Amino acid sequence: MDRIPKQRYYDEEFYALEAESFWPRVWQMACRLEEIPARGDFVEYEILDQSVIVVRLGDDNVRAFYNSCRHRGMKLVEGSGSRRSFVCPFHGWCWSLDGANTNVLRPEVFDESNLGADDLRLAPVRCELWGGCAWINLDEGAPPLRDCLEPFASKHDEWKVDALRTEWWKSCLLPVNWKLATEAFMEGYHVPQTHPQLLPSSHRSEASSVHPIIETSLHFMRTLGSGMGGMTHDNDVRIAEGLQNMSLPDDPAAAMASWRGAVNDAVTTWHRARGCDFPDLNDLDRRGVIDPIGFCFPHYFILPTYSSASSYRIRPLGPEQTLFEIWSLTRYPNDRSLGRPTPPEPLAPDDPSWPTIPAQDFSNLPRQQKGLHAKGFDFMRLSTQIEGLISNFERVVDGFLAGLPYERLVGAIQKTNTTIDVGVADLGLSEPVRCSGVLNLSGSVSDD
C-alpha cells in the first residue's frame, strides 16, 4: 500500500491495460457547459483512441455520441463548433442533433438490412450533467454519475460550484505519465521545497499600522492568486484589502478567526449584491464543508478559495505523455458567462507565460518521469499519513484493471473523492492486477 512500483508510470503493457479496462469504465469530465451554450453547439472530447461528440439539444438536454459515421467510420466533427445537423464529410450521410439518421446518399444501392433506422442512429455514449460540466462514460452499464462523484459532489453543491464560469483556460503538454501528473497535486508535502513563496517564513512584515495577521494573510492571498485567477481572485483580494485596518482581539487564534470571519462575510455580501448565486462562506466554514483542494476520481480537481477556484483536468496521450488543463473559474453578475471559452493551444511546461505556481509544479514533473527510469530506483515509498490519497487512487485503478464489479468499486471511488494530505484508507480491494512483468501494489511480480 505504501510502495508504488515505478513500471506503472511508463510500461507500455500497463498503459494498454488501462486503455482497455480503465478509461472505458470511468466517468470523465468531457466539457464545461459554457462550451456548448446554445442548441447545436458541440465539443469533441477525446480519450486515447476514442472520440466523442458532446452536443446541446436544449437547456438541460445534452447528449453524447461516438464521433463515427455509421457508413464507413469517418469522423463527423473535429474540435468544437455549432451544427444544425451532422454531415459526414466523406459521403454526405446526415444525422439530426439527437442522433437520428436523416439522409443516406443513394439508398437504393444498399441492401435494406444495412439501412434500419435504429441501426443507423449515431451510437450513444452515456452523458450526465453536474457542476457546470458534461460528463461521459463509455460503459452503458456504469453506475449513475452521482454515485461516482460523492461526497465530492454534495460538498461542492453547497459551495454552488455550478454557478462558476470560465475566466481563462490554459493547457500544457507534459512528457509524463498521467498518473504522475495527477499525484503531484494529491499532497501538500511538496510545498516547502517547490513553492517556498507560500510559506509564512517567506514574508517579512514591514513596519505598518496593519495588524501582522492581516498583513500576512493579504500577502498569502496575493501570492497564491498571482497570475492564477480563481486560486485567489483579485476581487476577493480587493475585498479583503478593504478590511485591513479593522481591529482584532489580542489572542492570536481569536484574531485569526475574527479576520477570517470578516473576510468571509464581506466576500459573501459583495458577490450576492452583484446577483451571484453565492453561499454563506462562514456557514460552510463552521460546518467544515469545503476543503482547499478537492479531487474527483479519476482526473478532475477543484481548488476553491472564497468566491472562485482553479480547476484541473488530466488526460493520457501516451505512456509518458499527458494533457494537463487548468481553468480559472469565478463568478459573474447573474451567473452569466463572459462567452463561449476557446479551447487553448497546449503550451510546453517551460513556457514563460505560465504563472509561478504551475510553472514550479511543471518543472518537477519531467525530471521525476526521467528519474523513474533509473536502474537503482524500484518503487515510490509513500507516507501512509499524508500521501495516502496516492495509494488509495492507485489501488482503485488496480480494482478496475482487475475487472472488479461496480458494486465493489463505487465505495472505493468515493473514498478517493476527497481532499489531499490524507492517510491510507481501507478500500476493500485486494485483487492483484495481472500484467506480464509489471509490479502490482503488493510489490510482487504478476505474470500471466
Side-chain angles (χ1 to χ4, degrees):
M1 290 185 182
D2 60 356
R3 293 186 173 188
I4 310 295
K6 67 177 186 178
Q7 291 93 336
R8 299 168 65 89
Y9 299 96
Y10 59 76
D11 182 87
E12 292 187 2
E13 186 178 353
F14 194 86
Y15 179 79
L17 187 60
E18 291 177 339
E20 176 186 354
S21 302
F22 178 75
W23 286 104
R25 298 180 66 199
V26 293
W27 283 101
Q28 303 166 52
M29 195 282 264
C31 71
R32 291 195 56 79
L33 295 177
E34 300 157 85
E35 297 177 63
I36 48 172
R39 176 178 170 80
D41 291 344
F42 72 89
V43 165
E44 177 192 10
Y45 175 73
E46 295 180 286
I47 182 65
L48 303 172
D49 64 348
Q50 299 299 301
S51 174
V52 176
I53 304 170
V54 182
V55 60
R56 186 184 289 273
L57 276 67
D59 288 346
D60 296 313
N61 188 359
V62 175
R63 303 282 297 279
F65 307 98
Y66 285 99
N67 187 13
S68 179
C69 174
R70 302 294 282 169
H71 174 212
R72 282 167 57 185
M74 182 75 172
K75 281 181 66 176
L76 297 175
V77 300
E78 290 189 329
S80 60
S82 187
R83 296 282 190 276
R84 293 184 178 179
S85 62
F86 297 115
V87 180
C88 177
F90 199 176
H91 297 97
W93 288 29
C94 301
W95 286 265
S96 61
L97 298 178
D98 65 2
N101 179 260
T102 57
N103 182 63
V104 172
L105 182 67
R106 298 182 62 198
E108 70 276 4
V109 303
F110 290 88
D111 190 285
E112 288 188 7
S113 64
N114 281 324
L115 297 180
D118 289 341
D119 191 44
L120 288 188
R121 290 188 64 86
L122 294 180
V125 172
R126 288 277 299 280
C127 182
E128 298 184 26
L129 310 183
W130 176 82
C133 302
W135 302 69
I136 63 99
N137 195 313
L138 302 181
D139 186 354
E140 283 297 313
L145 171 66
R146 188 81 189 200
D147 291 355
C148 297
L149 296 189
E150 292 295 5
F152 177 93
S154 288
K155 286 187 172 186
H156 290 88
D157 280 344
E158 292 208 51
W159 189 63
K160 300 185 181 295
V161 69
D162 59 337
L164 293 172
R165 300 292 181 262
T166 299
E167 182 177 39
W168 54 253
W169 177 14
K170 302 177 186 289
S171 66
C172 182
L173 284 176
L174 285 169
V176 306
N177 183 269
W178 74 276
K179 298 187 298 300
L180 202 73
T182 304
E183 291 163 9
F185 301 91
M186 289 183 170
E187 43 80 10
Y189 187 49
H190 70 282
V191 169
Q193 184 65 33
T194 301
H195 309 299
Q197 77 276 16
L198 298 180
L199 299 178
S201 59
S202 70
H203 175 60
R204 293 185 177 180
S205 296
E206 305 291 336
S208 169
S209 60
V210 176
H211 193 287
I213 284 178
I214 297 177
E215 185 181 352
T216 300
S217 176
L218 290 174
H219 169 78
F220 182 77
M221 292 174 71
R222 296 177 187 123
T223 302
L224 193 62
S226 178
M228 284 301 291
M231 193 168 280
T232 300
H233 201 277
D234 287 347
N235 285 333
D236 300 333
V237 174
R238 286 193 292 269
I239 292 168
E241 287 172 340
L243 304 172
Q244 62 185 306
N245 293 317
M246 68 178 288
S247 298
L248 296 180
D250 293 334
D251 177 72
M256 179 58 76
S258 180
W259 166 249
R260 172 78 178 180
V263 174
N264 281 344
D265 274 339
V267 169
T268 299
T269 299
W270 191 81
H271 285 281
R272 285 179 172 177
R274 303 170 79 207
C276 297
D277 185 11
F278 200 80
D280 182 333
L281 293 181
N282 274 324
D283 176 60
L284 298 186
D285 264 4
R286 279 190 294 269
R287 295 187 290 117
V289 171
I290 293 298
D291 298 306
I293 298 177
F295 173 63
C296 185
F297 185 87
H299 73 155
Y300 188 66
F301 286 88
I302 293 179
L303 291 75
T305 308
Y306 296 109
S307 71
S308 306
S310 289
S311 183
Y312 303 157
R313 178 174 66 178
I314 300 101
R315 279 183 284 174
L317 301 178
E320 298 182 81
Q321 188 80 3
T322 291
L323 179 64
F324 194 106
E325 295 166 275
I326 301 178
W327 284 263
S328 172
L329 303 174
T330 192
R331 303 175 198 258
Y332 293 100
N334 302 310
D335 303 329
R336 291 177 181 167
S337 173
L338 286 181
R340 190 173 180 177
T342 302
E345 288 294 325
L347 303 173
D350 59 353
D351 191 283
S353 68
W354 284 113
T356 301
I357 289 176
Q360 291 169 327
D361 290 314
F362 294 161
S363 70
N364 285 338
L365 287 166
R367 296 172 66 180
Q368 184 185 15
Q369 185 72 39
K370 290 180 179 179
L372 292 175
H373 288 273
K375 293 186 182 298
F377 181 82
D378 294 323
F379 51 80
M380 299 184 188
R381 57 196 76 215
L382 305 178
S383 162
T384 57
Q385 298 180 44
I386 59 173
E387 295 177 309
L389 182 54
I390 297 173
S391 170
N392 302 338
F393 167 70
E394 289 283 358
R395 285 182 291 136
V396 177
V397 171
D398 270 4
F400 277 91
L401 302 188
L404 296 185
Y406 286 114
E407 54 262 30
R408 291 192 59 192
L409 290 169
V410 168
I413 289 171
Q414 291 180 354
K415 290 183 180 179
T416 69
N417 291 339
T418 183
T419 189
I420 65 171
D421 296 338
V422 298
V424 171
D426 180 3
L427 304 178
L429 306 177
S430 59
E431 284 76 359
V433 174
R434 297 187 62 78
C435 185
S436 178
V438 177
L439 292 171
N440 61 44
L441 293 194
S442 68
S444 60
V445 176
S446 179
D447 293 296
D448 287 333

